[in-house]
């Protein structure tokens, strides 16, 4: 029951996560067997792990690529383009659009919760500790954007495509790190997570600024009012979902109608959620929500979006088109080269100038391996490709994102496996051995 936010109270009753007695709990809760509850909790726990989340995302991508490039590719296109929803409200969207605008809002809500937690009580709450990943993230956005713009300038869509290689995929990058870096110090994960959170914040701002084609002031005002109501309820320690769920849906609709990309609603609500625990609470609301929603984000929202976004042609003709498309080349160079140079270079400069400090147990070759993981753009890069380019150019750009993310993840995996072996061989002195001219490396 605890996985549902409930615990047993008096016989025949349940107590909610807010400490309030549920006099008449739903029948489905009372009749659920302990074995069923335990199985669901265990499945949710697996979905929360970075390794499993990354594997589910990879499986959805592989399925989309295989299906879209098979003789049954027409059926894949038909499902992706199937329109559902009330036409009277102008919400008759394709399944791909529902995944992009709707399901990704859940992913960005979880990202907003994580960002808020990091800013208030996590690694980014201390300025000195936060400086290195923040500087690295800024460098990891600026250099890929500059490289992509310089390569694609003058080509059709080149002026809009520079933002595609800016983002780092948190789920995929952490999944690769979890699989290949068992011997790496824990500070590598903290650095990557903090960097990716700041990176996603930058990508979110770009989406909000660059991809607002029209603006409805009335709908935007409604979104502001609903966000203010959400924040007020958080301050008043209200916990019932009967208020929060309608407010969240209303905020999403208002943002969607305002012309701003609907995923911004998820980020806004995540940042407004309380992250400090009161003395009577077992967990803060942000932690509780992240715990409950992370499996849905990792197991449903992101894989379904990837399934509809990743189904692009990868046959010989399509790959030849990539080599002649300056925008696609710009995306690949931006992600594979720009991310590595931007993250590692800005970190090196910041530490050498004394502006920021590097974790003692993390050597520079470790930093290079983690920086290579920054080239795994994937989810947000695919989203920006769809938002910034027309359909044909977007398909090539998405293929470039997939190719670049695969290359970056494979290179990073090889580097991380090697660095893990060095750390295991040298024990706690792995970073010291790294900074000296270590013959094993």
């Amino acid at each position: 029951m605890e996985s549902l936010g409930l615990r047993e109270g008096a016989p025949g009753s349940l107590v909610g996560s807010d400490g309030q007695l549920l006099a008449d709990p739903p029948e489905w809760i009372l009749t659920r067997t302990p074995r069923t509850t335990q199985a669901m909790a265990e499945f949710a726990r697996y979905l929360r792990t970075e390794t499993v989340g990354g594997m589910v995302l990879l499986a959805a991508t592989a399925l989309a690529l295989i299906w879209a490039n098979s003789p049954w590719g027409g059926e894949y296109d038909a499902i992706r383009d199937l329109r559902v929803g009330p036409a009277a409200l102008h919400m008759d969207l394709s399944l791909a659009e529902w995944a992009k605008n709707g399901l990704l809002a859940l992913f960005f809500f979880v990202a907003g919760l994580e960002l808020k937690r990091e800013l208030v009580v996590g690694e980014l709450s201390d300025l000195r500790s936060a400086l290195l990943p923040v500087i690295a993230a800024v460098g990891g956005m600026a250099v890929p954007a500059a490289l992509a713009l310089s390569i694609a300038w003058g080509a059709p869509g080149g002026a809009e495509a520079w933002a595609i290689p800016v983002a780092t995929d948190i789920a995929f990058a952490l999944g690769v790190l979890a699989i290949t870096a068992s011997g790496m110090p824990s500070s590598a994960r903290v650095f990557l997570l903090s960097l990716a959170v700041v990176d996603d914040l930058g990508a979110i701002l770009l989406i909000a600024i660059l991809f607002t084609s029209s603006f409805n002031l009335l709908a935007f005002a409604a979104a502001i009012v609903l966000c203010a109501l959400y924040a007020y309820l958080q301050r008043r320690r209200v916990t019932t979902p009967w208020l929060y769920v309608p407010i969240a849906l209303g905020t999403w609709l208002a943002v969607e109608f305002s012309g701003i990309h609907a995923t911004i609603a998820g980020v806004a609500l995540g940042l407004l959620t309380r992250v400090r625990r009161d003395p009577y609470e077992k967990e803060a609301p942000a932690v509780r929500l992240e715990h409950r929603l992370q499996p849905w984000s990792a197991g449903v929202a992101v894989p379904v979006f990837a399934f509809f976004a990743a189904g692009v042609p990868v046959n010989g003709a399509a790959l030849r088109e990539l080599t002649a498309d300056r925008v696609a080349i710009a995306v690949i160079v931006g992600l594979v080269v720009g991310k590595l140079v931007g993250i590692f270079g800005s970190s090196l400069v910041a530490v050498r100038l004394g502006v920021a400090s590097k974790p003692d147990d993390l050597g520079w070759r470790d930093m290079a391996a983690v920086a290579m993981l920054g080239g795994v753009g994937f989810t947000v890069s695919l989203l920006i490709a769809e938002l910034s380019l027309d359909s044909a150019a977007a398909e090539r750009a998405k293929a470039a994102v997939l190719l670049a993310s695969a290359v970056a993840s494979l290179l990073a995996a090889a580097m991380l496996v090697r660095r893990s072996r060095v750390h295991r061989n040298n024990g706690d002195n792995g970073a010291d051995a790294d900074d000296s001219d270590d013959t094993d490396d």
Side-chain angles (χ1 to χ4, degrees):
M1 294 293 181
E2 290 182 356
S3 65
L4 303 173
L6 305 170
R7 64 179 187 274
E8 294 182 1
S13 68
L14 294 173
V15 178
S17 58
D18 56 358
Q20 297 179 352
L21 182 67
L22 300 180
D24 298 303
E27 184 179 352
W28 66 271
I29 293 180
L30 292 177
T31 57
R32 175 173 291 173
T33 64
R35 179 173 296 180
T36 303
T37 302
Q38 183 178 0
M40 290 185 64
E42 189 70 11
F43 182 64
R45 185 179 68 82
Y46 276 116
L47 284 177
R48 288 187 196 98
T49 62
E50 289 143 6
T51 305
V52 175
M55 290 175 64
V56 173
L57 179 58
L58 184 61
T61 304
L63 178 60
L65 286 170
I66 293 171
W67 192 354
N69 289 278
S70 73
W72 302 278
E75 284 78 3
Y76 170 85
D77 292 337
I79 293 174
R80 181 183 60 186
D81 298 333
L82 178 65
R83 304 189 76 84
V84 295
L89 297 176
H90 304 287
M91 294 296 292
D92 53 333
L93 307 177
S94 68
L95 291 181
E97 289 172 323
W98 277 113
K100 179 175 65 178
N101 294 4
L103 289 180
L104 275 194
L106 174 62
F107 165 75
F108 278 104
F109 178 67
V110 174
L113 292 173
E114 193 163 27
L115 176 60
K116 176 71 176 289
R117 182 165 50 81
E118 290 294 326
L119 288 170
V120 177
V121 297
E123 291 295 322
L124 300 179
S125 61
D126 178 69
L127 181 61
R128 182 72 176 172
S129 301
L131 272 178
L132 185 61
V134 169
I135 292 172
V138 172
M141 290 185 284
V143 174
L147 276 177
L149 188 60
S150 63
I151 294 172
W153 186 259
E160 294 81 19
W162 60 268
I164 297 174
V166 162
T168 295
D169 189 282
I170 296 178
F172 215 136
L174 288 176
V176 174
L177 185 71
I179 293 170
T180 61
S182 58
M184 292 282 285
S186 59
S187 55
R189 183 190 180 279
V190 173
F191 175 77
L192 178 62
L193 178 61
S194 302
L195 180 150
V197 166
V198 177
D199 193 298
D200 267 7
L201 177 61
I204 290 162
L205 292 174
L206 285 177
I207 291 171
I209 295 169
L210 298 178
F211 305 117
T212 302
S213 55
S214 60
F215 186 70
N216 186 319
L217 183 59
L218 186 61
F220 181 73
I224 295 294
V225 170
L226 288 169
C227 285
L229 178 59
Y230 181 94
Y232 173 77
L233 293 174
Q234 285 287 300
R235 289 182 63 85
R236 297 292 296 176
R237 301 319 194 245
V238 176
T239 59
T240 175
W242 295 106
L243 286 175
Y244 286 119
V245 171
I247 289 172
L249 291 175
T251 304
W252 180 84
L253 282 171
V255 173
E256 172 75 9
F257 287 129
S258 73
I260 302 172
H261 198 265
T263 53
I264 303 301
V267 182
L269 295 178
L271 291 175
L272 292 172
T273 304
R274 186 164 53 88
V275 296
R276 293 192 184 277
R277 180 179 65 89
D278 286 334
Y280 61 86
E281 291 180 309
K282 183 179 179 180
E283 294 175 321
V287 176
R288 186 166 61 248
L289 282 170
E290 190 177 346
H291 181 79
R292 292 178 181 178
L293 296 178
Q294 176 63 28
W296 292 99
S297 174
V300 178
V302 175
V304 170
F305 168 76
F307 173 77
F308 286 122
V312 296
V314 290
N315 52 37
L319 293 177
R320 282 193 297 272
E321 285 183 8
L322 290 186
T323 61
D325 188 329
R326 285 168 54 192
V327 170
I329 295 172
V331 170
I332 294 171
V333 173
L335 283 172
V336 177
V337 179
K339 279 290 186 180
L340 173 63
V341 173
I343 294 171
F344 183 80
S346 58
S347 300
L348 181 63
V349 171
V351 172
R352 291 287 189 257
L353 293 178
V355 176
S357 57
K358 176 175 67 66
D360 293 336
D361 57 353
L362 205 62
W364 283 116
R365 296 177 191 179
D366 301 328
M367 294 285 287
V370 175
M372 191 72 250
L373 268 179
V376 182
F378 214 74
T379 306
V380 182
S381 290
L382 290 174
L383 175 60
I384 296 176
E386 289 195 345
L387 294 174
S388 59
L389 300 171
D390 59 38
S391 57
E395 293 294 291
R396 293 191 294 271
K398 289 194 292 183
V401 169
L402 295 175
L403 179 59
S405 297
V407 171
S409 60
L410 290 173
L411 290 175
M415 296 166 73
L416 288 167
V417 167
R418 186 165 181 79
R419 292 307 306 158
S420 293
R421 187 169 69 247
V422 170
H423 277 277
R424 281 194 294 266
N425 291 342
N426 291 298
D428 293 335
N429 298 318
D432 297 334
D434 167 68
D435 288 330
S436 63
D437 236 353
D438 181 56
T439 55
D440 187 38
D441 200 19

